[in-house]
């Protein structure tokens, strides 16, 4: 299996690069942001609670997102691997991901961090906010809070993967194709794992 964590601040290009990676490597895309927005769109109790938190630019509680990832792993046991996009965002989420993947006989091969400075992030997200209908993309104060939460709560996840020699940093400013090629070079340098159980079979690329 091939399991990649795509990491970086809001607006760094995680979602953009994920779409290209699932097409090339036939992986299942697990974006906790997308999973949460699906709950909001469905009007569930979880979605109602998450919306208030996301609109403020804060992190949804660990147990909520870990539960969603657990369910998604259970439902995709035949997958060739996963792109984790926007997850883990805390060290507690990172340790839970290792535990959950170990339960499926696999683990994370590499974490790729896209580095982009704050002014470029603000510019990209305000631009996306013109068409995304995402309240968290339309208010500069909230975008700056998301970047600040990234530095205070999420950036330390990089250290977690660095201690496992899985951390790779890339400049996230530049052409989308150029950055994609650099991510692929990192992924291709990592051997995939064969899970003990269940048997790995090639799954169709799809988003949840
Ligand atoms: P996410 O949905 O993860 O959203 P995001 O951080 O904004 O990143 P995204 O992937 O969408 O943007 P991208 O960089 O691709 O999170 C939203 C909220 O959900 C969080 O604030 C939090 O409340 C909650 N949440 C999600 N996961 C959670 C978790 N694990 N724990 C707790 N809470 C969680 O793209 C941005 C823009 O840049 C795009 O418009 C794109 O076109 C552009 N772009 C990309 N690459 C570019 C490049 N190379 N050059 C120029 N522009 C580029």
């Amino acid at each position: 299996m091939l399991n990649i964590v795509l990491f970086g601040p809001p607006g760094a290009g995680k979602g953009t690069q994920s779409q290209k990676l699932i097409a090339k490597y036939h992986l299942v895309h697990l974006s906790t942001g997308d999973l949460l927005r699906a709950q909001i769109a469905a009007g569930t109790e979880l979605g109602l609670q998450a919306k208030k938190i996301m609109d403020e630019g804060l992190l949804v509680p660990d147990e909520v997102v870990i539960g969603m990832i657990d369910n998604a792993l259970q439902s995709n046991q035949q997958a060739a691997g996963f792109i984790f996009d926007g997850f883990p965002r805390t060290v507690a989420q990172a340790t839970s991901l290792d535990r959950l993947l170990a339960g499926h006989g696999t683990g994370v091969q590499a974490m790729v961090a896209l580095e982009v400075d704050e002014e470029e992030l603000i510019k990209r997200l305000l631009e996306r906010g013109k068409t995304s209908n995402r309240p968290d993309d339309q208010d500069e104060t909230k975008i700056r809070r998301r970047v600040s939460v990234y530095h205070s709560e999420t950036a330390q996840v990089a250290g977690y993967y660095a201690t496992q020699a899985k951390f790779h940093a890339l400049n996230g400013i530049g052409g989308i194709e150029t950055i994609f090629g650099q991510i692929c070079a990192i992924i291709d340098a990592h051997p995939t794992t064969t899970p003990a159980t269940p048997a790995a079979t090639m799954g169709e690329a799809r988003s949840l």
Side-chain angles (χ1 to χ4, degrees):
M1 284 184 94
L2 177 62
N3 300 307
I4 302 297
V5 172
L6 208 47
F7 190 76
K14 304 183 294 290
T16 304
Q17 295 296 337
S18 290
Q19 291 308 318
K20 300 179 72 62
L21 290 167
I22 59 175
K24 175 166 171 144
Y25 294 98
H26 309 288
L27 303 173
V28 172
H29 181 210
L30 288 183
S31 158
T32 38
D34 287 352
L35 291 172
L36 289 164
R37 284 185 286 277
Q39 293 284 332
I40 293 171
T44 64
E45 181 59 29
L46 190 159
L48 288 173
Q49 296 298 326
K51 180 170 176 20
K52 288 183 205 149
I53 298 169
M54 292 166 75
D55 286 355
E56 289 305 312
L58 302 172
L59 292 184
V60 172
D62 286 338
E63 59 272 22
V64 173
V65 286
I66 291 165
M68 290 193 318
I69 291 290
D70 191 6
N71 289 339
L73 293 176
Q74 301 282 0
S75 323
N76 288 280
Q77 304 219 18
Q78 303 305 310
F82 296 90
I83 294 277
F84 296 96
D85 164 7
F87 180 91
R89 264 175 157 94
T90 64
V91 172
Q93 293 179 19
T95 54
S96 294
L97 179 59
D98 276 350
R99 177 178 52 77
L100 292 173
L101 288 176
H104 291 271
T106 186
V108 170
Q109 272 81 40
M111 185 261 231
V112 181
L114 298 173
E115 297 181 336
V116 177
D117 65 74
E118 180 160 342
E119 293 318 306
E120 172 71 13
L121 297 173
I122 306 287
K123 195 174 82 181
R124 288 183 187 180
L125 292 178
L126 284 174
E127 187 59 33
R128 186 173 67 180
K130 291 177 187 169
T131 53
S132 70
N133 277 332
R134 282 178 53 172
D136 60 344
D137 281 349
Q138 289 164 359
D139 178 333
E140 183 171 335
T141 306
K142 288 177 184 170
I143 295 174
R144 287 198 188 273
R145 186 177 303 148
R146 287 161 64 194
V147 175
S148 160
V149 166
Y150 170 80
H151 288 299
S152 62
E153 298 183 48
T154 301
Q156 54 191 307
V157 174
Y160 178 85
Y161 287 102
T163 60
Q164 299 181 8
K166 294 174 178 170
F167 172 77
H168 304 270
L170 278 183
N171 183 359
I173 297 183
I176 288 170
E177 289 301 331
T178 305
I179 295 167
F180 177 61
Q182 292 168 342
I183 297 174
C184 293
I186 291 170
I187 291 175
D188 292 343
H190 281 268
T192 58
T193 60
T194 305
T197 178
T201 57
M202 291 293 285
E204 291 299 310
R206 56 190 161 130
S207 291
L208 294 181

